[in-house]
Amino acid sequence: MKKLLKYFATLALIGGAFTFTACSDDDDKDPAITYTQEDQMARPAINTVFIPSGAPKDMFNETLPSAMGAAYATAFATRLDALNGVTYPGNALGQDRATFAGLLATDVLNVSLTGTTTFFDGTNVLTGRALADDVIDTELLLIFGGTAGTSNAGLTSDHVNANDKAFLGTFPYLAAPF
Amino acid sequence: MKNTTKMKVLGIALLVIVASGAYLIAADHIDAPGVTGSGSASLGSDITDVYAFANGDNMVFVVNTQGLMSPAATAAATFDEEVMLEINIDNDASKDHVEDLVIQATFKDGKVHIHGPKAPVTTGLISTQVSGTTVSADITEYGDAPVIGTAGGIKVFAGPRDDPFFFDLTTYKEIIAGTASMFDNPGTDTFAGTNVMSLVVEVPKSQLGTGTIDIWATSNRKN
């Protein structure tokens, strides 16, 4: 995979060099700077929870979101079964095993440009991710809580409900470092 | 099935997962060998969390890297100049999960530079830096007030921040290992008192599309 990436990187560089010689835009001193992807993330904890350690985790990070569904939906469904110790029964959002596994396998964050942006606020689901969202409780509830959200009660919340520092009301929003 | 039996079954199931090699960190901190250095160090290319939330007519994107930093280690922490952070945006009607716009951040000589949002030069695992620089700012140093760059309606901040992520990871690991059967109440935030290197970019929504977009962040090493 790495070798293949390098090969493509070289190709891209060569392609970029040609572009450069043909480019007359003086503002762009080096338009051929290319980079190779190392990490990918959207929803929290997806790679860490659902992908076996070692090489598969790197592979997930180097899989394009457009290819993730086909590559990982079945494995995610199996993982949901394993986590529950029984065939995954579905979740409180009304999603069955295949639907939830398919949703998680394509690791993108759905973001609303018009409404409330939150991972889950009791009303809106997967419309963004705010700093204060208790994303782990949401994921635990959907993974372990069953269709009514009441199964495995000891596993559906970690009982850490907020950050250890208050967020700022203005840019850059995150609290100063410790 | 009785509850205790159920928990035992669950414990066994989780144990099997551990044996099969699924090791949980969280949220995406040191998630894979390729972004983890010696001594489990979270590298400059290790994305720990991604946030996207509205502020009025603007959308705020946060991409955090280099998780689990102690305060003592934070003053010396820097962004990797060989690493470009990219926010990928799929804003077409088909939601094909191919990026239609990218916002790229590069780090050089103590400054952060934002490129885009623009259509990507190429899609896929190889990213090409899009032309031009939208806004730049000095990277904020540890202990200093945030330095904010503003241009074209876009704001940028880059520097150390408190890790906004919270999770009782320790108890979760015990549950996975079968040495605990449930979370404690109250739990203990494993990420309390730790810092990350943060990139925060605020962009007018009008530059991003309409309706709903799908986004993901990537780290990309210079070829």
Side-chain angles (χ1 to χ4, degrees), chain A residues 36 45 53 57 83 129 155 178, chain B residues 10 21 27 31 49 142 202 223:
Chain A
T36 303
S53 66
K57 288 194 185 290
L83 285 164
R129 181 182 177 189
L155 297 176
F178 280 92
Chain B
L10 185 65
D31 62 308
D49 275 286
Y142 183 57
E202 183 162 336
N223 292 313

Side-chain angles (χ1 to χ4, degrees), chain B residues 9-167:
Chain B
V9 170
L10 185 65
I12 290 164
L14 292 173
L15 210 56
V16 170
I17 292 164
V18 172
S20 74
Y23 184 64
L24 185 124
I25 307 296
D28 204 59
H29 303 62
I30 48 178
D31 62 308
V35 294
T36 307
S38 63
S40 290
S42 174
L43 298 178
S45 60
D46 182 21
I47 300 170
T48 62
D49 275 286
V50 178
Y51 300 82
F53 54 91
N55 173 41
D57 292 333
N58 294 340
M59 187 62 63
V60 181
F61 298 103
V62 178
V63 180
N64 290 335
T65 59
Q66 304 183 50
L68 299 160
M69 264 198 307
S70 69
T74 306
T78 56
F79 288 94
D80 188 339
E81 294 193 357
E82 295 296 302
V83 171
M84 175 178 77
L85 300 177
E86 184 172 86
I87 298 155
N88 298 266
I89 298 163
D90 174 16
N91 68 6
D92 59 24
S94 66
K95 290 295 177 293
D96 54 5
H97 303 123
V98 175
E99 62 272 32
D100 301 300
L101 292 173
V102 291
I103 299 168
Q104 300 172 333
T106 55
F107 307 91
K108 182 85 176 155
D109 299 331
K111 284 182 175 288
V112 57
H113 302 287
I114 296 296
H115 318 278
K118 277 194 171 184
V121 177
T122 51
T123 61
L125 294 175
I126 305 297
S127 291
T128 305
Q129 189 177 310
V130 298
S131 64
T133 300
T134 315
V135 55
S136 301
D138 287 340
I139 293 168
T140 299
E141 291 189 25
Y142 183 57
D144 286 359
V147 180
I148 300 167
T150 307
I154 298 181
K155 282 185 188 176
V156 63
F157 164 88
R161 294 274 99 184
D162 162 54
D163 190 343
F165 184 62
F166 49 93
F167 180 27

Side-chain angles (χ1 to χ4, degrees), chain A residues 1-2 5 8-9 12-13 25 28 30-49 51-55 57-58 61-66 79 81-86 106-115 117-118 127-136 140 144 151-165 167-168 171-178, chain B residues 9-10 13-14 17 20-28 31-35 45-55 59-60 62 64 71 82 84 96-98 106 124-129 131-132 142 146 148 155-157 160-168 172 175 181-189 192-195 198 200 202 205 209-223:
Chain A
M1 188 68 184
K2 286 264 179 209
L5 285 176
F8 281 126
L13 276 175
D25 188 350
D28 306 317
D30 193 353
I33 303 172
T34 65
Y35 298 80
T36 303
Q37 185 169 318
E38 285 196 355
D39 199 358
Q40 188 274 347
M41 187 195 172
R43 298 191 188 104
I46 297 302
N47 194 357
T48 49
V49 172
I51 306 293
S53 66
K57 288 194 185 290
D58 283 334
N61 280 334
E62 292 163 6
T63 302
L64 296 172
S66 56
R79 182 70 64 192
D81 296 345
L83 285 164
N84 278 273
V86 296
T106 298
D107 187 22
V108 299
L109 193 62
N110 320 107
V111 181
S112 171
L113 292 177
T114 54
T117 43
T118 180
T127 58
R129 181 182 177 189
L131 294 172
D133 289 345
D134 195 345
V135 295
I136 289 296
L140 290 171
F144 293 111
S151 303
N152 302 311
L155 297 176
T156 52
S157 172
D158 69 343
H159 304 291
V160 178
N161 302 325
N163 191 38
D164 54 336
K165 262 197 175 184
F167 299 120
L168 313 180
F171 195 91
Y173 308 106
L174 280 70
F178 280 92
Chain B
V9 170
L10 185 65
L14 292 173
I17 292 164
S20 74
Y23 184 64
L24 185 124
I25 307 296
D28 204 59
D31 62 308
V35 294
S45 60
D46 182 21
I47 300 170
T48 62
D49 275 286
V50 178
Y51 300 82
F53 54 91
N55 173 41
M59 187 62 63
V60 181
V62 178
N64 290 335
E82 295 296 302
M84 175 178 77
D96 54 5
H97 303 123
V98 175
T106 55
L125 294 175
I126 305 297
S127 291
T128 305
Q129 189 177 310
S131 64
Y142 183 57
I148 300 167
K155 282 185 188 176
V156 63
F157 164 88
R161 294 274 99 184
D162 162 54
D163 190 343
F165 184 62
F166 49 93
F167 180 27
D168 188 346
Y172 191 94
I175 293 168
S181 61
M182 59 193 292
F183 284 105
D184 299 328
N185 191 2
T188 305
D189 181 6
T194 67
N195 299 323
S198 282
V200 187
E202 183 162 336
K205 288 179 184 175
T210 54
T212 297
I213 56 175
D214 287 343
I215 71 122
W216 61 98
T218 59
S219 66
N220 308 271
R221 188 166 297 279
K222 197 180 277 183
N223 292 313

Side-chain angles (χ1 to χ4, degrees), chain A residues 96-108:
Chain A
D96 64 15
R97 179 175 178 272
T99 305
F100 188 50
L103 171 77
L104 292 179
T106 298
D107 187 22
V108 299

